[in-house]
Amino acid sequence: MVDTTGGPSLPGTTVVVADGRIAAVDARPPLPPGTRVVDAPGAHVIPGLWDMHVHVFDETRLPLFLANGVTGIRHMGMAPVHTEWRDRLTRGELLAPRTVVAGRIIDGPNPMRPNSIAAGTEREAREAVRMSVDDGADFLKVYSLLPRDAYFALADEAARLGVTFAGHVPFGVTATEAASAGQRSIEHLEGIFLDTSARAAELRGEVAAIDGTDMAAIFRIFSEVLPAAAASADPARAAALFDTFARNETWHVPTLSALQAMAFAGGDDFPLESYLPYVEPGLRDAWSSHRAWGGDPERRARNRDQFDRQLGVTAGLHEAGVDLLAGTDTFVPGFSLHDELELLVHAGLTPLAALRAATWNPARFLGVTDAFGSVEVGKAADLLVLDGDPLREIGSTRKIRALVHGGRLFDRAELDGMASGFGDEQA
């Protein structure tokens, strides 16, 4: 049994499950009459994994999370189907991971994403918070074009109503300000490069000058301004920012698998190529056309250099004591989380630290360590039985012999069945 809280692994352990909960974790616990015994010599048991940044809209994709050992997800933008799924999950009518759902994305007056709430003023931002709470959002998600005054009004209203907010760092707000305003998590390492650049004032001036309705100008921020900021990083500024994150308990979800996919688009080594059949049809075109939008060799070289810097920032955050969460944002249910864990290790985290980012840390972040995040008596029976030690080789999280979800056992054949049939699907 692998102890994700940081204690030593326990050899020769028996885990007893009853009524959806862990009833015992011991060498030789007494077994109730009629207990089904599953022998797993040489295996390692870990808690179910959480992907803390997903977008999924097709119900047929939900079992793919479970097939890959992902027993919990944090969905980063509500659509009507998500509240329906959550209700059906509560009633036990849906085979899917446990789900935490953000409200509809809250963006500026001309939102970048469909189905977003447009909030250009302080009043509209406060209304967006109340609307999201009324819609049953577990938390709020803010986006890049939300104006500065609206952002701080949202933060104030969220605090008043006792709801947390997370997401992007809007262009008009610094990462330091976001942490101080109480933003619970920052996705994709947003805001860090601008805040830590020796050219921060100059580059922020360029960002402030953009027209929020001009997508070409917005794209230039990501393709030119942020790389310029990354290339002019000031270690002292970085240390100060990371200390601010740690003091304010601002969590980060690097989504390295998504950043890697963007960086390697257009080449033969595009990491999502083999995953494309598993991406739901409505979201697949953006990735399957990667050679068209990522084919420029100069751009690929620049993007790969930026990805190396993103790996370095992830390592720096971890070393500074900033808490990290594993999230993917790649629209590939389940599979990409294992890529994310391997990328966290590649960035410099230990296998245990990477594993904690998908187990113990999500439970801490969500305030549910009494029920999830570790293999302990009384907690929900969400477990993976692995043919390998993830503390020696993080890739062992892919070697799933069996899954227990809510106390229900799925063997390897059942998990394979969940993941079958997608290769023949037409986009």
Side-chain angles (χ1 to χ4, degrees):
M1 191 279 289
V2 176
D3 187 349
T4 49
T5 68
S9 296
L10 301 179
T13 303
T14 297
V15 180
V16 181
V17 172
D19 299 323
R21 296 277 169 179
I22 298 172
V25 181
D26 205 342
R28 294 182 179 276
L31 301 181
T35 298
R36 178 183 179 184
V37 178
V38 179
D39 288 326
H44 289 71
V45 174
I46 65 171
L49 303 170
W50 280 72
D51 187 333
M52 294 295 283
H53 190 124
V54 307
H55 297 273
V56 59
F57 303 92
D58 185 338
E59 184 177 321
T60 67
R61 263 54 187 182
L62 294 176
L64 285 173
F65 287 106
L66 298 180
N68 286 278
V70 178
T71 58
I73 58 175
R74 185 174 70 136
H75 200 286
M76 300 300 293
M78 182 184 287
V81 70
H82 298 126
T83 53
E84 175 198 335
W85 290 352
R86 188 170 53 187
D87 292 343
R88 289 168 61 195
L89 273 168
T90 301
R91 298 192 300 267
E93 299 172 356
L94 187 64
L95 183 62
R98 304 174 191 274
T99 304
V100 177
V101 186
R104 291 165 57 195
I105 291 171
I106 302 174
D107 204 358
N110 298 286
M112 296 172 65
R113 296 280 295 270
N115 196 45
S116 298
I117 300 175
T121 66
E122 295 182 36
R123 179 181 61 80
E124 290 171 343
R126 293 182 185 276
E127 288 178 354
V129 174
R130 294 191 290 268
M131 183 188 310
S132 300
V133 171
D134 290 343
D135 287 344
D138 293 315
F139 65 102
L140 313 174
K141 181 179 180 182
V142 295
Y143 220 65
S144 302
L145 298 180
L146 188 65
R148 179 180 176 84
D149 290 346
Y151 174 88
F152 290 112
L154 178 147
D156 180 71
E157 190 70 10
R160 189 181 72 82
L161 295 181
V163 62
T164 60
F165 67 102
H168 292 203
V169 175
F171 293 144
V173 177
T174 70
T176 300
E177 290 173 326
S180 299
Q183 183 160 329
R184 189 82 169 95
S185 74
I186 292 174
E187 318 298 305
H188 322 301
L189 307 176
E190 294 233 340
I192 291 179
F193 287 128
L194 276 176
D195 262 27
T196 58
S197 171
R199 300 171 55 194
E202 168 200 349
L203 295 174
R204 282 203 171 278
E206 293 188 34
V207 172
I210 69 161
D211 179 352
T213 64
D214 184 347
M215 289 307 299
I218 294 171
F219 179 75
R220 181 178 167 273
I221 293 176
F222 294 101
S223 63
E224 298 181 24
V225 176
L226 295 184
S232 56
D234 179 340
R237 293 175 68 96
L241 177 61
F242 295 173
D243 179 66
T244 298
F245 290 149
R247 283 188 289 102
N248 286 279
E249 299 182 352
T250 307
W251 295 68
H252 280 262
V253 192
T255 63
L256 294 175
S257 50
L259 299 178
Q260 182 193 48
M262 295 292 291
F264 283 72
D268 293 336
D269 51 357
F270 179 59
L272 301 188
E273 196 71 57
S274 63
Y275 291 150
L276 291 177
Y278 298 100
V279 179
E280 57 190 84
L283 302 172
R284 190 181 304 155
D285 286 349
W287 292 118
S288 59
S289 60
H290 72 95
R291 292 185 184 276
W293 54 264
D296 175 37
E298 184 176 337
R299 176 183 298 166
R300 287 207 309 273
R302 186 168 61 244
N303 289 345
R304 293 184 186 198
D305 179 69
Q306 180 75 342
F307 181 63
D308 286 341
R309 298 180 190 279
Q310 290 161 335
L311 290 171
V313 165
T314 301
L317 288 168
H318 177 66
E319 291 166 3
V322 179
D323 285 314
L324 302 180
L325 297 165
T328 61
D329 195 31
T330 56
F331 314 110
V332 187
F335 295 95
S336 288
L337 186 65
H338 300 284
D339 294 346
E340 188 73 21
L341 297 181
E342 291 173 357
L343 286 168
L344 287 171
V345 171
H346 181 59
L349 276 67
T350 65
L352 174 59
L355 185 62
R356 284 166 62 95
T359 54
W360 184 241
N361 283 3
R364 291 174 54 219
F365 177 83
L366 297 171
V368 291
T369 55
D370 60 330
F372 300 101
S374 60
V375 184
E376 296 182 88
V377 173
K379 296 193 175 185
D382 290 355
L383 306 167
L384 299 187
V385 183
L386 305 177
D387 284 324
D389 183 356
L391 302 188
R392 289 183 177 271
E393 174 52 60
I394 192 62
S396 295
T397 59
R398 300 180 188 269
K399 301 174 183 178
I400 303 171
R401 183 186 302 190
L403 164 76
V404 179
H405 182 45
R408 179 181 173 185
L409 177 69
F410 298 88
D411 62 22
R412 185 64 259 172
E414 291 174 293
L415 298 177
D416 288 341
M418 293 179 190
S420 66
F422 292 99
D424 300 328
E425 185 182 68
Q426 297 298 311

